[in-house]
Amino acid sequence: MKELKLILILFIFNSTFLCSQNKKHATNINKILVPLSKASKLKDSTLFHSNYIRLVSLAKKSNDQYLYACLLDKKGVYLYYLGLYKEAITYYDSAINIAVLNSFDSSLIGFYMNRGAINYSVQNFTEALKNYKQSESLMLKIKSPNIGGLLANISLLYREIGDIPNAKSYLNRSIPFIKAAKDTLGYAIALNNLGLIYKDEKNHKSADSIYKLGYEYTKRYKLDKYFSDVTFNLIINLLNLRQFTEAIGYELELLEHLKKYNDPAFEKLLLQTIAKTYMDLDKMKEAMKYIELFEKIGVTDETIDKDEQVMLLNAAEIYFKLNDYKKAAKTYKKYYDMNDANSSSSDLYNVNQLTHSYEKIQDSIRNAKELEIAQLELTHSQETSEYKLQLQRILLLSSLVVLIGIIVFALLLYKSNKLKEKTNIEISIQKKLLSEKNNEITDSIRYAKNIQTSLLPSNHILKKTLNDYFLLYLPKDIVSGDFYWTKEITINEVLIGVADCTGHGVPGAILSALSIQLLNEITEKHYEPSEILKELNLKLKSQLQFQSEHYSRDGLDICLCKYNKVTGQVIFSGANRNLWIFNKGGFIKELKATKAGIAGHTENHQVFEQHSEIYEKDTFFILSTDGYADQFGGDLNKKITTKEFKKFISEKSNKNLNVIGEYIKEKYLTWKKNSDQIDDVCVIGFKII
């Protein structure tokens, strides 16, 4: 039987914890942060970012560390509402660092609690528990009245990891604080959760007491939603105690309560529970009444479909007990029609049900026969001929019942086999259609590969623009989200870029095609790598409609160089992708990219740092996406890592670039072996000659 789950007392703080050093200042800041809270709940990016940028500027000008920490908190809340949990965590890490450095202990409580809530959302229970414990320690230190909800959440986390004693301990600790805060809703939730913990301990009597307390409490304070939850859990606990008569009373009261709300899934669940309870009380007519009510409610939900199958089996059992075999067979037929790939086991279940029912009939006949014989022996011992005749009639009736049973079994099994045959034919047809559709899609993707290949520089163009180079390009799928790009500015100057778009396969390929087009347009007017990246950020965000209601958060990382073949000058600018520099002796240095991607969450005014230097002959440069270094494999099934990648290149740095390219390709394939390729791979090397 189902039960309702534990309820989390989960909330995102809105900077309600004030800095103990200056409460007036903190109160004023909370007022100016109100638009950010509103924008987060509405998921309004325009409203949020316009206010956020303005307030960040104010915090920097005034060097207000408290305001800056609160803004990081708000950005974390905003990202949480968008479902961007990983990014939200990074903002909370920054907020926590500032709060620790400046001893903002009260604010730190909220930051840790919010970080714990986000970790809970992604089921990282260990880290969430650590954050909550950090917040608990600070709350105890300042004797915060808000500790009740936190202790309840810690209890919930302990139950998630199976530590029931600690879950019970923390929940019991939370209840006095929740009551003291006059939090009626929190107290109702805590009672429900405590009942479930007693249930985990198989202590159904204690659970019964707690649930009844919760029932009375939610009823008194008219907490309608939680009245439904607590009452249903009380019912399930009474059924576990086999107190069916008492359970029926609560069930009928809850059914009347649910009529006020439009919750057909809950109502169907309760109707099924009532019908089963009446069956346990052997009141088949009442059970049938609620089965019929159950069937009238339509809910399109996978769980409800399974409940309907259970209800059909219960209905069939009731029909048998009411001696209505025709309806029983019809109900089983309906059950067969609803069943799926598990029909074989379901058939066996139905046959067992039929066998069980007929065995009961035969048992009744045998009992009647034995009683009849005893009566004949006591009162009619002289009438042996009449006794023999009666015995023959009883035996004949038994034989007829068994024969009817066999015929019903045979009919049901025959229909079942026919249904299976029909289903198998339909499955075969669907498989064929699916195969044809897959072939069509694959052909379309292969054609898309031809289009993508035509957008990439050919080997002839690479040879012309770079002179001495190598290229390693290994898409994960037929098409790729990684791309390489070159353009000749003058007879001596060329641009070279390697980029990694969000995703791989078809989505990545579409974004790469758009990015190549934009690069070609931008470099008609702009030739400096930093300016090109700035324009690419603006134009790609515009193309992906970042200001619209349904904007995309896709983007790319890129390593971009301008190379003068006469002077040996290389100008580099990167968005999250660094440039590596080698000579015959091995690795020289790494030029760092700006830690911001193109588009995505990057602001419109983002500036990309630029490096410029003249290099000696035989110096060569590596531009790469992250697909190579992130590949799993080797004896321990670990990543190659950036360190090992550089080592592979250094081992052959005294060779020409073709040899280096073939060597790192061989190393990659040897490392990967039979492991799946996890991402696109794109690496280009070019040399000063």
Side-chain angles (χ1 to χ4, degrees), residues 624-643:
S624 174
T625 62
D626 58 3
Y628 191 109
D630 287 347
Q631 179 60 48
F632 285 89
D635 295 335
L636 301 177
N637 195 31
K638 292 185 176 180
K639 290 184 180 182
I640 291 176
T641 73
T642 300
K643 181 180 179 181

mmCIF file with all atom_site columns, all heavy atoms in Angstrom, residues 624-643:
data_model
loop_
_atom_site.group_PDB
_atom_site.id
_atom_site.type_symbol
_atom_site.label_atom_id
_atom_site.label_alt_id
_atom_site.label_comp_id
_atom_site.label_asym_id
_atom_site.label_entity_id
_atom_site.label_seq_id
_atom_site.pdbx_PDB_ins_code
_atom_site.Cartn_x
_atom_site.Cartn_y
_atom_site.Cartn_z
_atom_site.occupancy
_atom_site.B_iso_or_equiv
_atom_site.pdbx_formal_charge
_atom_site.auth_seq_id
_atom_site.auth_comp_id
_atom_site.auth_asym_id
_atom_site.auth_atom_id
_atom_site.pdbx_PDB_model_num
ATOM 1   N N   . SER A 1 624 ? 43.400 23.711 -28.507 1.00 0.00 ? 624 SER A N   1
ATOM 2   C CA  . SER A 1 624 ? 42.657 22.461 -28.271 1.00 0.00 ? 624 SER A CA  1
ATOM 3   C C   . SER A 1 624 ? 41.368 22.719 -27.492 1.00 0.00 ? 624 SER A C   1
ATOM 4   O O   . SER A 1 624 ? 41.299 23.622 -26.663 1.00 0.00 ? 624 SER A O   1
ATOM 5   C CB  . SER A 1 624 ? 43.536 21.474 -27.492 1.00 0.00 ? 624 SER A CB  1
ATOM 6   O OG  . SER A 1 624 ? 42.810 20.321 -27.139 1.00 0.00 ? 624 SER A OG  1
ATOM 7   N N   . THR A 1 625 ? 40.353 21.890 -27.758 1.00 0.00 ? 625 THR A N   1
ATOM 8   C CA  . THR A 1 625 ? 39.161 21.844 -26.907 1.00 0.00 ? 625 THR A CA  1
ATOM 9   C C   . THR A 1 625 ? 39.432 20.890 -25.741 1.00 0.00 ? 625 THR A C   1
ATOM 10  O O   . THR A 1 625 ? 40.519 20.295 -25.662 1.00 0.00 ? 625 THR A O   1
ATOM 11  C CB  . THR A 1 625 ? 37.933 21.382 -27.703 1.00 0.00 ? 625 THR A CB  1
ATOM 12  O OG1 . THR A 1 625 ? 38.175 20.054 -28.194 1.00 0.00 ? 625 THR A OG1 1
ATOM 13  C CG2 . THR A 1 625 ? 37.652 22.308 -28.874 1.00 0.00 ? 625 THR A CG2 1
ATOM 14  N N   . ASP A 1 626 ? 38.445 20.699 -24.850 1.00 0.00 ? 626 ASP A N   1
ATOM 15  C CA  . ASP A 1 626 ? 38.681 19.882 -23.655 1.00 0.00 ? 626 ASP A CA  1
ATOM 16  C C   . ASP A 1 626 ? 38.407 18.393 -23.866 1.00 0.00 ? 626 ASP A C   1
ATOM 17  O O   . ASP A 1 626 ? 38.566 17.598 -22.947 1.00 0.00 ? 626 ASP A O   1
ATOM 18  C CB  . ASP A 1 626 ? 37.833 20.395 -22.485 1.00 0.00 ? 626 ASP A CB  1
ATOM 19  C CG  . ASP A 1 626 ? 36.343 20.395 -22.782 1.00 0.00 ? 626 ASP A CG  1
ATOM 20  O OD1 . ASP A 1 626 ? 35.931 19.952 -23.884 1.00 0.00 ? 626 ASP A OD1 1
ATOM 21  O OD2 . ASP A 1 626 ? 35.576 20.846 -21.922 1.00 0.00 ? 626 ASP A OD2 1
ATOM 22  N N   . GLY A 1 627 ? 37.977 18.014 -25.077 1.00 0.00 ? 627 GLY A N   1
ATOM 23  C CA  . GLY A 1 627 ? 37.591 16.620 -25.323 1.00 0.00 ? 627 GLY A CA  1
ATOM 24  C C   . GLY A 1 627 ? 38.730 15.632 -25.170 1.00 0.00 ? 627 GLY A C   1
ATOM 25  O O   . GLY A 1 627 ? 38.536 14.510 -24.697 1.00 0.00 ? 627 GLY A O   1
ATOM 26  N N   . TYR A 1 628 ? 39.957 16.020 -25.587 1.00 0.00 ? 628 TYR A N   1
ATOM 27  C CA  . TYR A 1 628 ? 41.110 15.122 -25.495 1.00 0.00 ? 628 TYR A CA  1
ATOM 28  C C   . TYR A 1 628 ? 41.468 14.839 -24.035 1.00 0.00 ? 628 TYR A C   1
ATOM 29  O O   . TYR A 1 628 ? 41.532 13.678 -23.601 1.00 0.00 ? 628 TYR A O   1
ATOM 30  C CB  . TYR A 1 628 ? 42.292 15.747 -26.231 1.00 0.00 ? 628 TYR A CB  1
ATOM 31  C CG  . TYR A 1 628 ? 43.466 14.814 -26.449 1.00 0.00 ? 628 TYR A CG  1
ATOM 32  C CD1 . TYR A 1 628 ? 43.765 14.342 -27.711 1.00 0.00 ? 628 TYR A CD1 1
ATOM 33  C CD2 . TYR A 1 628 ? 44.275 14.401 -25.388 1.00 0.00 ? 628 TYR A CD2 1
ATOM 34  C CE1 . TYR A 1 628 ? 44.846 13.479 -27.921 1.00 0.00 ? 628 TYR A CE1 1
ATOM 35  C CE2 . TYR A 1 628 ? 45.345 13.544 -25.577 1.00 0.00 ? 628 TYR A CE2 1
ATOM 36  C CZ  . TYR A 1 628 ? 45.632 13.095 -26.858 1.00 0.00 ? 628 TYR A CZ  1
ATOM 37  O OH  . TYR A 1 628 ? 46.685 12.240 -27.053 1.00 0.00 ? 628 TYR A OH  1
ATOM 38  N N   . ALA A 1 629 ? 41.659 15.913 -23.256 1.00 0.00 ? 629 ALA A N   1
ATOM 39  C CA  . ALA A 1 629 ? 42.109 15.750 -21.857 1.00 0.00 ? 629 ALA A CA  1
ATOM 40  C C   . ALA A 1 629 ? 41.060 15.078 -20.977 1.00 0.00 ? 629 ALA A C   1
ATOM 41  O O   . ALA A 1 629 ? 41.396 14.430 -19.987 1.00 0.00 ? 629 ALA A O   1
ATOM 42  C CB  . ALA A 1 629 ? 42.480 17.107 -21.270 1.00 0.00 ? 629 ALA A CB  1
ATOM 43  N N   . ASP A 1 630 ? 39.763 15.200 -21.323 1.00 0.00 ? 630 ASP A N   1
ATOM 44  C CA  . ASP A 1 630 ? 38.686 14.665 -20.483 1.00 0.00 ? 630 ASP A CA  1
ATOM 45  C C   . ASP A 1 630 ? 38.335 13.212 -20.792 1.00 0.00 ? 630 ASP A C   1
ATOM 46  O O   . ASP A 1 630 ? 37.446 12.641 -20.149 1.00 0.00 ? 630 ASP A O   1
ATOM 47  C CB  . ASP A 1 630 ? 37.418 15.518 -20.642 1.00 0.00 ? 630 ASP A CB  1
ATOM 48  C CG  . ASP A 1 630 ? 37.551 16.862 -19.951 1.00 0.00 ? 630 ASP A CG  1
ATOM 49  O OD1 . ASP A 1 630 ? 38.492 17.033 -19.153 1.00 0.00 ? 630 ASP A OD1 1
ATOM 50  O OD2 . ASP A 1 630 ? 36.717 17.741 -20.218 1.00 0.00 ? 630 ASP A OD2 1
ATOM 51  N N   . GLN A 1 631 ? 38.985 12.594 -21.775 1.00 0.00 ? 631 GLN A N   1
ATOM 52  C CA  . GLN A 1 631 ? 38.628 11.231 -22.163 1.00 0.00 ? 631 GLN A CA  1
ATOM 53  C C   . GLN A 1 631 ? 39.017 10.215 -21.080 1.00 0.00 ? 631 GLN A C   1
ATOM 54  O O   . GLN A 1 631 ? 40.130 10.232 -20.571 1.00 0.00 ? 631 GLN A O   1
ATOM 55  C CB  . GLN A 1 631 ? 39.315 10.857 -23.488 1.00 0.00 ? 631 GLN A CB  1
ATOM 56  C CG  . GLN A 1 631 ? 39.020 9.438  -23.956 1.00 0.00 ? 631 GLN A CG  1
ATOM 57  C CD  . GLN A 1 631 ? 37.544 9.206  -24.183 1.00 0.00 ? 631 GLN A CD  1
ATOM 58  O OE1 . GLN A 1 631 ? 36.878 10.000 -24.824 1.00 0.00 ? 631 GLN A OE1 1
ATOM 59  N NE2 . GLN A 1 631 ? 37.019 8.112  -23.641 1.00 0.00 ? 631 GLN A NE2 1
ATOM 60  N N   . PHE A 1 632 ? 38.084 9.326  -20.729 1.00 0.00 ? 632 PHE A N   1
ATOM 61  C CA  . PHE A 1 632 ? 38.347 8.260  -19.762 1.00 0.00 ? 632 PHE A CA  1
ATOM 62  C C   . PHE A 1 632 ? 38.976 7.052  -20.457 1.00 0.00 ? 632 PHE A C   1
ATOM 63  O O   . PHE A 1 632 ? 38.697 6.762  -21.616 1.00 0.00 ? 632 PHE A O   1
ATOM 64  C CB  . PHE A 1 632 ? 37.060 7.829  -19.062 1.00 0.00 ? 632 PHE A CB  1
ATOM 65  C CG  . PHE A 1 632 ? 36.580 8.794  -18.023 1.00 0.00 ? 632 PHE A CG  1
ATOM 66  C CD1 . PHE A 1 632 ? 35.728 9.836  -18.354 1.00 0.00 ? 632 PHE A CD1 1
ATOM 67  C CD2 . PHE A 1 632 ? 36.997 8.684  -16.708 1.00 0.00 ? 632 PHE A CD2 1
ATOM 68  C CE1 . PHE A 1 632 ? 35.292 10.733 -17.405 1.00 0.00 ? 632 PHE A CE1 1
ATOM 69  C CE2 . PHE A 1 632 ? 36.567 9.573  -15.743 1.00 0.00 ? 632 PHE A CE2 1
ATOM 70  C CZ  . PHE A 1 632 ? 35.711 10.609 -16.102 1.00 0.00 ? 632 PHE A CZ  1
ATOM 71  N N   . GLY A 1 633 ? 39.814 6.325  -19.701 1.00 0.00 ? 633 GLY A N   1
ATOM 72  C CA  . GLY A 1 633 ? 40.430 5.120  -20.226 1.00 0.00 ? 633 GLY A CA  1
ATOM 73  C C   . GLY A 1 633 ? 41.635 4.746  -19.391 1.00 0.00 ? 633 GLY A C   1
ATOM 74  O O   . GLY A 1 633 ? 41.726 5.058  -18.208 1.00 0.00 ? 633 GLY A O   1
ATOM 75  N N   . GLY A 1 634 ? 42.597 4.085  -20.032 1.00 0.00 ? 634 GLY A N   1
ATOM 76  C CA  . GLY A 1 634 ? 43.773 3.635  -19.299 1.00 0.00 ? 634 GLY A CA  1
ATOM 77  C C   . GLY A 1 634 ? 43.460 2.462  -18.391 1.00 0.00 ? 634 GLY A C   1
ATOM 78  O O   . GLY A 1 634 ? 42.326 1.987  -18.314 1.00 0.00 ? 634 GLY A O   1
ATOM 79  N N   . ASP A 1 635 ? 44.447 1.987  -17.663 1.00 0.00 ? 635 ASP A N   1
ATOM 80  C CA  . ASP A 1 635 ? 44.263 0.822  -16.793 1.00 0.00 ? 635 ASP A CA  1
ATOM 81  C C   . ASP A 1 635 ? 43.312 1.095  -15.640 1.00 0.00 ? 635 ASP A C   1
ATOM 82  O O   . ASP A 1 635 ? 42.636 0.184  -15.156 1.00 0.00 ? 635 ASP A O   1
ATOM 83  C CB  . ASP A 1 635 ? 45.631 0.378  -16.236 1.00 0.00 ? 635 ASP A CB  1
ATOM 84  C CG  . ASP A 1 635 ? 46.560 -0.120 -17.330 1.00 0.00 ? 635 ASP A CG  1
ATOM 85  O OD1 . ASP A 1 635 ? 46.041 -0.569 -18.378 1.00 0.00 ? 635 ASP A OD1 1
ATOM 86  O OD2 . ASP A 1 635 ? 47.786 -0.046 -17.145 1.00 0.00 ? 635 ASP A OD2 1
ATOM 87  N N   . LEU A 1 636 ? 43.216 2.354  -15.186 1.00 0.00 ? 636 LEU A N   1
ATOM 88  C CA  . LEU A 1 636 ? 42.377 2.699  -14.033 1.00 0.00 ? 636 LEU A CA  1
ATOM 89  C C   . LEU A 1 636 ? 41.096 3.416  -14.443 1.00 0.00 ? 636 LEU A C   1
ATOM 90  O O   . LEU A 1 636 ? 40.355 3.892  -13.595 1.00 0.00 ? 636 LEU A O   1
ATOM 91  C CB  . LEU A 1 636 ? 43.170 3.581  -13.063 1.00 0.00 ? 636 LEU A CB  1
ATOM 92  C CG  . LEU A 1 636 ? 44.456 2.981  -12.503 1.00 0.00 ? 636 LEU A CG  1
ATOM 93  C CD1 . LEU A 1 636 ? 45.177 3.986  -11.614 1.00 0.00 ? 636 LEU A CD1 1
ATOM 94  C CD2 . LEU A 1 636 ? 44.145 1.706  -11.702 1.00 0.00 ? 636 LEU A CD2 1
ATOM 95  N N   . ASN A 1 637 ? 40.835 3.474  -15.754 1.00 0.00 ? 637 ASN A N   1
ATOM 96  C CA  . ASN A 1 637 ? 39.637 4.147  -16.286 1.00 0.00 ? 637 ASN A CA  1
ATOM 97  C C   . ASN A 1 637 ? 39.514 5.570  -15.742 1.00 0.00 ? 637 ASN A C   1
ATOM 98  O O   . ASN A 1 637 ? 38.485 5.980  -15.225 1.00 0.00 ? 637 ASN A O   1
ATOM 99  C CB  . ASN A 1 637 ? 38.362 3.349  -15.981 1.00 0.00 ? 637 ASN A CB  1
ATOM 100 C CG  . ASN A 1 637 ? 37.180 3.820  -16.807 1.00 0.00 ? 637 ASN A CG  1
ATOM 101 O OD1 . ASN A 1 637 ? 37.357 4.284  -17.936 1.00 0.00 ? 637 ASN A OD1 1
ATOM 102 N ND2 . ASN A 1 637 ? 35.989 3.722  -16.259 1.00 0.00 ? 637 ASN A ND2 1
ATOM 103 N N   . LYS A 1 638 ? 40.602 6.345  -15.879 1.00 0.00 ? 638 LYS A N   1
ATOM 104 C CA  . LYS A 1 638 ? 40.611 7.741  -15.458 1.00 0.00 ? 638 LYS A CA  1
ATOM 105 C C   . LYS A 1 638 ? 40.783 8.651  -16.668 1.00 0.00 ? 638 LYS A C   1
ATOM 106 O O   . LYS A 1 638 ? 41.046 8.193  -17.784 1.00 0.00 ? 638 LYS A O   1
ATOM 107 C CB  . LYS A 1 638 ? 41.745 7.994  -14.458 1.00 0.00 ? 638 LYS A CB  1
ATOM 108 C CG  . LYS A 1 638 ? 41.545 7.306  -13.112 1.00 0.00 ? 638 LYS A CG  1
ATOM 109 C CD  . LYS A 1 638 ? 42.644 7.712  -12.142 1.00 0.00 ? 638 LYS A CD  1
ATOM 110 C CE  . LYS A 1 638 ? 42.404 7.116  -10.759 1.00 0.00 ? 638 LYS A CE  1
ATOM 111 N NZ  . LYS A 1 638 ? 43.462 7.513  -9.802  1.00 0.00 ? 638 LYS A NZ  1
ATOM 112 N N   . LYS A 1 639 ? 40.650 9.970  -16.451 1.00 0.00 ? 639 LYS A N   1
ATOM 113 C CA  . LYS A 1 639 ? 40.835 10.935 -17.525 1.00 0.00 ? 639 LYS A CA  1
ATOM 114 C C   . LYS A 1 639 ? 42.302 11.010 -17.951 1.00 0.00 ? 639 LYS A C   1
ATOM 115 O O   . LYS A 1 639 ? 43.206 10.774 -17.148 1.00 0.00 ? 639 LYS A O   1
ATOM 116 C CB  . LYS A 1 639 ? 40.364 12.318 -17.088 1.00 0.00 ? 639 LYS A CB  1
ATOM 117 C CG  . LYS A 1 639 ? 38.859 12.458 -16.930 1.00 0.00 ? 639 LYS A CG  1
ATOM 118 C CD  . LYS A 1 639 ? 38.516 13.905 -16.583 1.00 0.00 ? 639 LYS A CD  1
ATOM 119 C CE  . LYS A 1 639 ? 37.008 14.073 -16.423 1.00 0.00 ? 639 LYS A CE  1
ATOM 120 N NZ  . LYS A 1 639 ? 36.655 15.485 -16.123 1.00 0.00 ? 639 LYS A NZ  1
ATOM 121 N N   . ILE A 1 640 ? 42.529 11.399 -19.209 1.00 0.00 ? 640 ILE A N   1
ATOM 122 C CA  . ILE A 1 640 ? 43.904 11.624 -19.666 1.00 0.00 ? 640 ILE A CA  1
ATOM 123 C C   . ILE A 1 640 ? 44.524 12.777 -18.874 1.00 0.00 ? 640 ILE A C   1
ATOM 124 O O   . ILE A 1 640 ? 45.664 12.690 -18.433 1.00 0.00 ? 640 ILE A O   1
ATOM 125 C CB  . ILE A 1 640 ? 43.921 11.953 -21.173 1.00 0.00 ? 640 ILE A CB  1
ATOM 126 C CG1 . ILE A 1 640 ? 43.521 10.708 -21.979 1.00 0.00 ? 640 ILE A CG1 1
ATOM 127 C CG2 . ILE A 1 640 ? 45.302 12.435 -21.605 1.00 0.00 ? 640 ILE A CG2 1
ATOM 128 C CD1 . ILE A 1 640 ? 43.419 10.938 -23.459 1.00 0.00 ? 640 ILE A CD1 1
ATOM 129 N N   . THR A 1 641 ? 43.789 13.846 -18.654 1.00 0.00 ? 641 THR A N   1
ATOM 130 C CA  . THR A 1 641 ? 44.164 15.085 -17.958 1.00 0.00 ? 641 THR A CA  1
ATOM 131 C C   . THR A 1 641 ? 45.045 15.980 -18.844 1.00 0.00 ? 641 THR A C   1
ATOM 132 O O   . THR A 1 641 ? 45.756 15.502 -19.755 1.00 0.00 ? 641 THR A O   1
ATOM 133 C CB  . THR A 1 641 ? 44.885 14.863 -16.621 1.00 0.00 ? 641 THR A CB  1
ATOM 134 O OG1 . THR A 1 641 ? 46.224 14.395 -16.864 1.00 0.00 ? 641 THR A OG1 1
ATOM 135 C CG2 . THR A 1 641 ? 44.110 13.894 -15.744 1.00 0.00 ? 641 THR A CG2 1
ATOM 136 N N   . THR A 1 642 ? 44.982 17.275 -18.574 1.00 0.00 ? 642 THR A N   1
ATOM 137 C CA  . THR A 1 642 ? 45.766 18.267 -19.315 1.00 0.00 ? 642 THR A CA  1
ATOM 138 C C   . THR A 1 642 ? 47.263 18.026 -19.121 1.00 0.00 ? 642 THR A C   1
ATOM 139 O O   . THR A 1 642 ? 48.062 18.167 -20.058 1.00 0.00 ? 642 THR A O   1
ATOM 140 C CB  . THR A 1 642 ? 45.386 19.681 -18.829 1.00 0.00 ? 642 THR A CB  1
ATOM 141 O OG1 . THR A 1 642 ? 43.997 19.890 -19.073 1.00 0.00 ? 642 THR A OG1 1
ATOM 142 C CG2 . THR A 1 642 ? 46.196 20.738 -19.543 1.00 0.00 ? 642 THR A CG2 1
ATOM 143 N N   . LYS A 1 643 ? 47.649 17.625 -17.910 1.00 0.00 ? 643 LYS A N   1
ATOM 144 C CA  . LYS A 1 643 ? 49.075 17.384 -17.623 1.00 0.00 ? 643 LYS A CA  1
ATOM 145 C C   . LYS A 1 643 ? 49.635 16.290 -18.523 1.00 0.00 ? 643 LYS A C   1
ATOM 146 O O   . LYS A 1 643 ? 50.720 16.437 -19.112 1.00 0.00 ? 643 LYS A O   1
ATOM 147 C CB  . LYS A 1 643 ? 49.220 17.009 -16.154 1.00 0.00 ? 643 LYS A CB  1
ATOM 148 C CG  . LYS A 1 643 ? 50.656 16.754 -15.724 1.00 0.00 ? 643 LYS A CG  1
ATOM 149 C CD  . LYS A 1 643 ? 50.712 16.378 -14.241 1.00 0.00 ? 643 LYS A CD  1
ATOM 150 C CE  . LYS A 1 643 ? 52.140 16.082 -13.795 1.00 0.00 ? 643 LYS A CE  1
ATOM 151 N NZ  . LYS A 1 643 ? 52.199 15.703 -12.361 1.00 0.00 ? 643 LYS A NZ  1
#
